[in-house]
Amino acid sequence: MSLLLLRLTIAFYSVGLLHSFLTIITRKKTLFRVALAGISLGFLCHLLAFSVAWFETGHPPISELQEVLSFFALVIVLAFLLAYARYRLDSLSVFVFPLAFILTLAANLTSEPSQPFPEMLGSLWLYLHVPFIFLAYAAFFVAFASGLMYLIQENELKRRRPQAFYYRLPSLEVCDELGYRALSIGFPLLTLGLVAGVLWQAPWELDKKIIASFSTWIVYAILIAYRLSEGLRGRRAAWMSILGFILILAAFFGTRSQGSAHPFIQ
């Protein structure tokens, strides 16, 4: 049942993805209503698929690669819907929808019969660690996307003849504000996630993934500190948000160590 719901999710996400790009190309606002409806229905199906998988297995579906990919897509769409409710930025969908679709499709293609839930994962701290971490990643992806939009918009403003995408992008001020708000939400969530991870694994030994995760935390701590103390804004803040998310991807996909406490990266 959960697999069927996941495939229905992919269908709705594909509708949202297609119409979000058509909105940018044609500049017809009515098309984005279809995109928003598709992504919203997809989110509801996705949330239901996650809940059904939890009921079917008796544990949160966060222990295997396909489950983690699916959960990441779910929280990214959630982050988009929250950001859209506040800023009404349809241009943000061009960055969010492709990633959500790809992650969900990958989760479906790699789906295998659920393995026995490892005893070491049956901890309350794990159930806090994973959601906090991936909610933080979703917020940082919004900051990453806002950084990209800032740089694109800045480049377009320097052109004598801006391209069509220019007219769908928010102002530089809105891009910068969205990036800062996303960072201010993501950093506390990342901190809570890492604390929960430490309590879950205690006593623990360092592996490459743990080192990479704390390195990412340091990068974002520096970025937040600079924004608060030095008033870091604009181009430099955008580039740092982009760099921070690249480091997140490197930490998630590039640290595949045997014996890790993170079985989904094996």
Side-chain angles (χ1 to χ4, degrees):
M1 182 64 177
S2 60
L3 186 57
L4 178 62
L5 287 168
L6 190 62
R7 289 172 178 170
L8 186 58
T9 298
I10 294 171
F12 281 125
Y13 282 174
S14 65
V15 172
L17 176 60
L18 174 62
H19 284 79
S20 67
F21 278 99
L22 289 176
T23 301
I24 298 300
I25 294 171
T26 64
R27 296 168 57 186
K28 292 182 178 180
K29 194 72 174 179
T30 53
L31 288 173
F32 189 72
R33 295 174 187 170
V34 180
L36 187 61
I39 206 72
S40 300
L41 290 172
F43 175 77
L44 292 176
C45 285
H46 205 161
L47 185 60
L48 185 58
F50 181 85
S51 302
V52 169
W54 191 336
F55 176 78
E56 289 175 342
T57 61
H59 60 77
I62 53 175
S63 63
E64 299 173 18
L65 177 60
Q66 67 269 20
E67 295 172 342
V68 171
L69 293 176
S70 178
F71 183 68
F72 194 12
L74 179 67
V75 295
I76 285 175
V77 175
L78 174 62
F80 166 79
L81 293 174
L82 293 175
Y84 183 80
R86 172 66 178 82
Y87 293 97
R88 300 295 175 180
L89 299 179
D90 50 11
S91 53
L92 184 61
S93 65
V94 175
F95 302 94
V96 174
F97 292 5
L99 180 59
F101 175 79
I102 291 170
L103 289 173
T104 310
L105 181 62
N108 179 71
L109 293 177
T110 60
S111 181
E112 298 176 354
S114 181
Q115 301 299 317
F117 197 59
E119 183 178 349
M120 67 171 294
L121 301 184
S123 167
L124 173 63
W125 294 116
L126 171 72
Y127 302 156
L128 295 176
H129 170 66
V130 173
F132 278 142
I133 288 293
F134 281 96
L135 284 169
Y137 286 0
F140 290 147
F141 179 73
V142 171
F144 166 83
S146 69
L148 287 178
M149 288 192 296
Y150 185 98
L151 296 176
I152 294 171
Q153 182 72 309
E154 185 182 55
N155 184 63
E156 290 295 318
L157 288 171
K158 294 177 181 178
R159 290 174 177 263
R160 292 186 177 181
R161 296 181 179 179
Q163 302 297 317
F165 196 35
Y166 162 78
Y167 299 100
R168 306 305 308 172
L169 289 173
S171 66
L172 296 179
E173 292 74 16
V174 171
C175 291
D176 191 67
E177 180 186 347
L178 175 60
Y180 175 69
R181 286 184 178 271
L183 289 173
S184 64
I185 293 172
F187 184 71
L189 289 171
L190 180 64
T191 303
L192 291 171
L194 291 177
V195 170
V198 169
L199 294 173
W200 162 47
Q201 295 179 236
W204 49 275
E205 298 180 0
L206 287 177
D207 62 29
K208 290 189 294 184
K209 182 154 186 72
I210 292 174
I211 294 172
S213 296
F214 277 102
S215 299
T216 302
W217 183 89
I218 291 172
V219 169
Y220 278 106
I222 293 172
L223 176 54
I224 291 287
Y226 266 100
R227 290 211 63 149
L228 293 177
S229 62
E230 303 294 333
L232 182 67
R233 299 173 62 87
R235 172 182 283 268
R236 288 190 297 169
W239 275 115
M240 288 190 70
S241 295
I242 292 170
L243 174 62
F245 192 73
I246 291 174
L247 291 176
I248 284 177
L249 293 178
F252 184 74
F253 292 107
T255 51
R256 299 172 179 271
S257 55
Q258 294 297 324
S260 171
H262 300 81
F264 52 78
I265 67 170
Q266 301 302 333

